[in-house]
Amino acid sequence: MIEVQGLRHCFGRREVLRDLTFSLEKGGFAFLTGPSGAGKSTLLRILHGSLPLQEGRAVAAGHDLVGLRPSKLHQLRRDVAMVFQDFKILPERSVADNVALPLVVRGTPAARIKRRVSSALTALRLTELANRPCAELAGGEQQRVAIARAVVAGPRLMLADEPTGNLDWDLSLRLLDILRQFSAHGTAILMATHNQALVAAAPDARIIRLERAAPDAAPTSDAADDMEEAP
Amino acid sequence: MTARLILSGLADLFRRPSTSLSVILGVFATVFLCGLLALAQVGLDGALAKGQGVLRFQVYWKPGADAALTARQMDWMRALPGVIEAKAFTPEAAMAVMRGSLGGAAEPLLPGAVNPLPYTLLLGFAPPEHDDKFAKETLERLTAVDGVAEVRYNPAAIDAARSLGLLGAQAVLPLGAILALLVGLVVGNTVRLTLLRRREEFEIMRLVGAAESVIALPLVAGAAAMGFVGAGLAATALAFLWSAVAGQLAAAPLWLSLAAPPGWLWISLIAAPTAVSALAGLAAAMESRP
């Protein structure tokens, strides 16, 4: 589901990813860990097509990212869903509308949208909030909306960037359980997290650990995360 | 899919009613003001052309001309190319008009037995553009008719008609271009900037797999709808205003009758802002690309 070979990525002169190689099979579940600035978000954004592939080779859900044309980006994103650290939900729209968005943009028939949204809301325990505008929700609830939106269309690969960052421990465990269930149904999941306790809670999951690039390439600093988030 | 995207673009208008309303009002105000200027220009142009843009010839027959022959000659003249008005006077009709004007004072001057007045015909022509010889040739044709004693016309009239044509070319066209530019800039930018406030929403749609057409089509449809409604309301208001003003001018003391504005003007007033709005929607979609 993911094939990465010799991946290298720089922001200006600063090297964030160096010679990264790994793979993740269909239905696989892997944690992406490492210190701040190690390039976790950068890797996820490359695999989601938000950052260009600079060097190396990467295939995500069957889409070769080498020379991926902007006009084909939507096809990649229909197979590769992403849960963002800052949720990226539409605050003025309802929970159900937000969750339905990936299906709406695909032109899915209304009856099917209703059915799939309903089951995603049930899985994330959001049914009672379905008609509430997302702006009125707490951070943890918005996080669950973002996850429901990612799973609703049944992606082949899900990338999650710190999805438990706004959740308490119980909710984090429940989310992990939900993601494992989706994984068991064939969706490959790559989840970036700082939370070592959560990693320990899933001992059978793979761990892909990123380290900060060696200092000979360029000076490292705490500003690296900010650079990763730069548009 | 296309119909659903168009409907979703229309539904978006109701999702942000105050924003949609402000755009519609912006389009309305711009189109109304531009339309007002255009209608004023068309009305002025029409009134001037009606009053001044006609080349008139007064044809006099010799006294005692044969009535039947003169009537046939008048019919031939009325059928000449370019004739837009014709008014004939028989000697009797001319005498009646004169008596009516002069009253009893005319009796010593107008002997009852012999009518000295000739047959006359007033012909009005719409002179063709770029034909400098039209007046001269028409004069020669009319003068050559058997029994015609004299033909008079005002040479300055052809210049007046030409000046009006020049006014159309020099004033109406630039004014139209300025109005079109104004509509394009004001309407286009209002719609585009309003839609660009939704840049974040478009970004999220792209992140969940929306193709560019899925973002652009609802925007174009929504923008075109706002342009159509705003321009349609402006055209309706202008039509009411025109009919009220035309009614006022047609009464005493002005008795100025305005020709109805041409259909193309009404269609342009609605179609141009609608098209500009749709293009602005497309521009907003393209501009929002990362």
Side-chain angles (χ1 to χ4, degrees):
Chain A
M1 201 50 57
I2 300 179
E3 285 287 334
V4 171
Q5 286 177 347
L7 188 69
R8 180 172 181 266
H9 196 89
C10 298
F11 288 109
R13 293 179 56 199
R14 180 173 143 61
E15 188 178 53
V16 178
L17 295 170
R18 175 191 284 180
D19 197 24
L20 179 64
T21 298
F22 74 94
S23 64
L24 183 66
E25 70 285 4
K26 181 183 177 187
F29 188 100
F31 287 111
L32 188 61
T33 66
S36 290
K40 300 187 294 295
S41 296
T42 302
L43 174 62
L44 295 183
R45 290 176 67 189
I46 290 171
L47 293 173
H48 195 241
S50 300
L51 283 176
L53 185 66
Q54 292 177 345
E55 203 175 309
R57 185 161 183 271
V59 178
H63 299 269
D64 194 339
L65 302 183
V66 177
L68 181 71
R69 285 185 295 168
S71 60
K72 301 286 178 191
L73 200 55
H74 68 281
Q75 292 174 352
L76 168 76
R77 289 171 174 170
R78 289 179 183 190
D79 287 330
V80 181
M82 182 151 171
V83 180
F84 298 89
Q85 228 171 347
D86 58 350
F87 318 142
K88 295 210 182 292
I89 53 179
L90 299 168
E92 80 280 8
R93 295 210 196 173
S94 71
V95 168
D97 280 353
N98 268 281
V99 173
L101 198 58
L103 300 170
V104 171
V105 301
R106 285 162 169 78
T108 309
R112 192 158 175 230
I113 291 178
K114 199 173 172 185
R115 205 167 53 242
R116 297 202 70 141
V117 167
S118 171
S119 75
L121 292 177
T122 306
L124 273 298
R125 300 190 184 177
L126 287 165
T127 308
E128 289 182 4
L129 302 175
N131 296 317
R132 290 263 298 276
C134 285
E136 295 178 7
L137 304 184
E141 291 169 331
Q142 293 189 357
Q143 184 73 289
R144 281 190 283 152
V145 173
I147 294 164
R149 187 185 64 192
V151 301
V152 74
R156 298 167 67 192
L157 169 63
M158 190 197 300
L159 309 170
D161 195 358
E162 299 283 359
T164 60
N166 291 281
L167 305 181
D168 59 31
W169 177 245
D170 287 342
L171 269 178
S172 297
L173 282 180
R174 204 165 78 208
L175 172 66
L176 182 61
D177 187 46
I178 290 167
L179 293 181
R180 299 298 299 267
Q181 285 177 34
F182 280 111
S183 165
H185 282 90
T187 301
I189 295 178
L190 182 60
M191 174 174 163
T193 183
H194 277 107
N195 192 335
Q196 290 304 316
L198 197 67
V199 175
D204 57 329
R206 276 189 60 195
I207 299 173
I208 298 166
R209 182 166 176 80
L210 300 181
E211 298 298 339
R212 285 193 188 195
D216 63 311
T220 53
S221 77
D222 290 338
D225 272 348
D226 294 337
M227 295 176 76
E228 286 180 45
E229 294 309 318
Chain B
M1 179 71 174
T2 304
R4 275 178 67 182
L5 290 174
I6 290 171
L7 286 176
S8 116
L10 299 180
D12 278 344
L13 302 182
F14 295 97
R15 198 170 274 139
R16 297 168 193 80
S18 58
T19 307
S20 306
L21 198 60
S22 66
V23 173
I24 287 171
L25 285 176
V27 175
F28 171 83
T30 311
V31 175
F32 184 81
L33 288 175
C34 291
L36 203 58
L37 286 171
L39 287 180
Q41 182 64 49
V42 166
L44 181 68
D45 202 33
L48 282 173
K50 206 169 182 178
Q52 305 290 328
V54 180
L55 182 61
R56 289 188 177 87
F57 291 84
Q58 182 86 48
V59 185
Y60 297 91
W61 273 260
K62 292 171 184 164
D66 178 66
L69 176 63
T70 304
R72 285 203 304 277
Q73 288 169 336
M74 283 184 175
D75 287 342
W76 174 80
M77 288 178 185
R78 283 191 188 98
L80 285 173
V83 171
I84 55 171
E85 59 182 44
K87 190 168 187 181
F89 286 94
T90 60
E92 293 72 26
M95 180 65 76
V97 170
M98 198 173 278
R99 281 209 170 93
S101 301
L102 299 177
E107 292 305 330
L109 304 170
L110 306 171
V114 182
N115 187 339
L117 297 176
Y119 284 93
T120 67
L121 177 65
L122 179 65
L123 286 171
F125 290 82
E129 286 181 44
H130 313 300
D131 189 351
D132 296 334
K133 295 178 183 170
F134 179 79
K136 187 168 174 282
E137 286 174 358
T138 305
L139 178 66
E140 286 171 1
R141 268 180 110 173
L142 295 174
T143 310
V145 173
D146 186 33
V148 167
E150 187 183 5
V151 178
R152 291 182 191 165
Y153 88 104
N154 179 5
I158 192 113
D159 294 332
R162 291 234 167 76
S163 298
L164 286 168
L166 211 59
L167 180 72
Q170 290 187 342
V172 177
L173 290 180
L175 180 70
I178 290 170
L179 293 182
L181 187 67
L182 196 64
V183 168
L185 286 177
V186 177
V187 172
N189 277 322
T190 304
V191 171
R192 189 178 63 86
L193 293 175
T194 305
L195 294 178
L196 276 177
R197 287 165 62 186
R198 296 170 58 193
R199 191 187 287 262
E200 196 181 359
E201 178 186 339
F202 307 147
E203 184 202 337
I204 291 173
M205 290 173 72
R206 288 188 181 96
L207 289 174
V208 299
E212 288 304 321
S213 60
V214 171
I215 292 170
L217 199 52
L219 278 186
V220 170
M226 287 192 288
F228 180 77
V229 172
L233 288 174
T236 307
L238 284 169
F240 277 114
L241 187 68
W242 178 268
S243 106
V245 169
Q248 293 283 326
L249 293 178
L254 295 172
W255 299 111
L256 187 63
S257 96
L258 296 179
W264 63 261
L265 183 65
W266 296 111
I267 292 170
S268 304
L269 278 176
I270 296 174
T274 304
V276 167
S277 299
L279 285 175
L282 187 63
M286 293 173 75
E287 235 175 290
S288 74
R289 287 181 185 174

